[in-house]
Amino acid sequence: MLEIKTPKTRRAKRVIEKRAPKLVENGKKTLILHGTKTSNVLNAVLTEIYHLKKDNSVKYTRRNDNIRPFESGGETSLEFFSLKTDCSLFVFGSHSKKRPDNLVLGRTYDHHIYDLVEVGVENFKSMKSFSYDKKMAPQIGSKPFFVFIGEGFEGVEELKHLKEILLDLFRGEVVANLNLAGLDRVFVCTAVSSNKVFLTHCALRLKKSGTVVPRMELVEVGPSMDLVVRRHRLPDDNLRKEAMKSAPELAPKKVKNVSRDAIQGKFGKIYIPDQQVGETALPYKAKGLKRERREAKMKGEANKQVVKKPKQDS
């Protein structure tokens, strides 16, 4: 039987409470690792990915001989590092004659491998190779835009999977409200072919347009590279359903007689009871009613006088 270790210090208790499941989870952290052998290009790619995600990423520079994500038993060390650093995303770089400049992008669920995409890096250009005003450089912690160009992201299974992982990798923490000043960069992904994607990073310049919405200009700041999809592994259906579960407390409460439409927006039905107009009290009495009642009263008194009999003497 496995031995269950309980925390003995307050610091260890705080760490365990921080990693415990929550209704609203923390932002996803990224683990960056090197394989047995890496090239200069791959070292530059991993370093620049770390700079783009410096606020929520962990980078190890030591070589790892035992990590082979696509092989059975080769993911044990990777899952150990994921548990140790509390990272749910990882980028693993390796270089070999069969697969040069190889990047493995993946996600974990409960610190076990969830899905994987293996890509090859070609035509890499670092940030230093672009000349631009350094004041325009994107700030750490800012939110990026994403642009996916090409039909392959909707029809090709490999590119659809790569799109999901790229969104998770670079979008940062999920927030409810955004400030326009905090949107200062954009990732442009272009599907060149059924297995090749051109990825570039641009800065946004906001200029006056004469309206409330400013005019935007894109300035390429790097890095840029071509990603050639080699292998990918989708999660099992049962594992996907388990990972997509959400707490019932976060489910929106259903409001009766209210529905939403893509065109009309929010609309609903209001119940109004039948109005009895005849029984409704009027705020004033019309003069005609007063005259009719006065005439009816006088007529009734006259009839009483005629019907009244005279008294008889005994």
Side-chain angles (χ1 to χ4, degrees):
M1 296 178 64
L2 295 176
E3 181 182 358
I4 300 175
K5 296 182 179 180
T6 57
K8 298 180 180 180
T9 62
R10 293 184 178 180
R11 181 180 178 183
K13 290 180 180 179
R14 288 197 299 268
V15 171
I16 291 178
E17 290 176 357
K18 186 178 180 180
R19 296 186 179 186
K22 306 177 182 63
L23 289 178
V24 180
E25 293 290 344
N26 301 331
K28 295 181 179 180
K29 294 170 60 179
T30 304
L31 176 64
I32 301 175
L33 295 169
H34 292 255
T36 305
K37 183 180 178 182
T38 56
S39 62
N40 294 331
V41 173
L42 205 57
N43 291 336
V45 171
L46 295 176
T47 302
E48 299 206 356
I49 290 176
Y50 173 70
H51 285 307
L52 291 175
K53 296 179 59 63
K54 199 169 185 178
D55 55 337
N56 54 1
S57 63
V58 178
K59 184 175 184 292
Y60 287 162
T61 57
R62 184 173 295 181
R63 309 297 179 183
N64 296 279
D65 300 335
N66 300 325
I67 297 180
R68 294 176 179 84
F70 281 91
E71 298 179 10
S72 59
E75 69 276 2
T76 306
S77 298
L78 182 60
E79 294 174 352
F80 168 75
F81 286 123
S82 173
L83 178 62
K84 180 180 177 181
T85 57
D86 193 23
C87 294
S88 56
L89 298 166
F90 66 88
V91 179
F92 176 73
S94 62
H95 178 76
S96 63
K97 184 177 180 180
K98 185 178 180 181
R99 295 186 176 89
D101 299 328
N102 196 57
L103 273 183
V104 179
L105 313 175
R107 297 177 288 186
T108 63
Y109 173 69
D110 195 18
H111 303 296
H112 294 285
I113 299 297
Y114 179 73
D115 59 351
L116 298 167
V117 171
E118 185 182 65
V119 295
V121 179
E122 297 179 356
N123 303 324
F124 173 72
K125 294 182 181 179
S126 64
M127 298 180 185
K128 297 180 180 178
S129 62
F130 295 92
S131 59
Y132 57 93
D133 187 4
K134 300 305 177 183
K135 295 180 181 179
M136 297 169 46
Q139 302 297 321
I140 295 177
S142 61
K143 298 293 291 184
F145 284 109
F146 285 90
V147 179
F148 292 94
I149 304 171
E151 298 179 354
F153 291 111
E154 301 297 331
V156 182
E157 191 67 30
E158 292 84 352
L159 298 187
K160 288 170 64 177
H161 192 194
L162 179 63
K163 175 183 176 181
E164 293 180 5
I165 293 184
L166 289 177
L167 282 174
D168 266 357
L169 182 63
F170 291 112
R171 70 177 178 178
E173 188 174 353
V174 179
V175 295
N177 298 319
L178 286 175
N179 186 1
L180 188 60
L183 298 169
D184 59 354
R185 54 191 172 131
V186 56
F187 288 96
V188 182
C189 304
T190 306
V192 180
S193 63
S194 60
N195 66 335
K196 191 173 184 178
V197 174
F198 172 66
L199 172 66
T200 185
H201 182 222
C202 301
L204 286 176
R205 295 181 62 183
L206 303 180
K207 291 191 172 183
K208 296 181 180 180
S209 63
T211 60
V212 179
V213 181
R215 183 169 60 90
M216 294 185 179
E217 289 186 357
L218 297 182
V219 179
E220 194 170 5
V221 297
S224 70
M225 66 193 87
D226 291 335
L227 301 178
V228 182
V229 180
R230 291 172 177 168
R231 290 184 292 179
H232 79 116
R233 190 175 77 189
L234 294 171
D236 297 332
D237 293 337
N238 296 332
L239 183 60
R240 183 190 293 272
K241 289 180 181 179
E242 185 179 354
M244 293 296 179
K245 286 182 181 179
S246 59
E249 293 84 353
L250 297 178
K253 296 183 179 179
K254 183 173 178 58
V255 183
K256 293 182 179 180
N257 300 327
V258 176
S259 58
R260 295 181 181 274
D261 187 52
I263 299 175
Q264 300 180 4
K266 181 180 179 180
F267 61 95
K269 298 179 181 179
I270 301 176
Y271 173 73
I272 300 177
D274 296 336
Q275 297 181 358
Q276 303 295 335
V277 181
E279 299 178 0
T280 305
L282 299 175
Y284 65 94
K285 295 182 179 180
K287 293 182 179 179
L289 295 176
K290 291 182 180 179
R291 187 178 66 250
E292 291 177 359
R293 291 176 181 175
R294 185 169 59 250
E295 292 177 354
K297 185 177 180 181
M298 293 173 61
K299 186 177 180 181
E301 291 178 353
N303 292 336
K304 287 181 181 180
Q305 292 178 0
V306 173
V307 175
K308 189 176 182 180
K309 296 180 180 181
K311 294 181 179 181
Q312 296 179 358
D313 297 335
S314 56

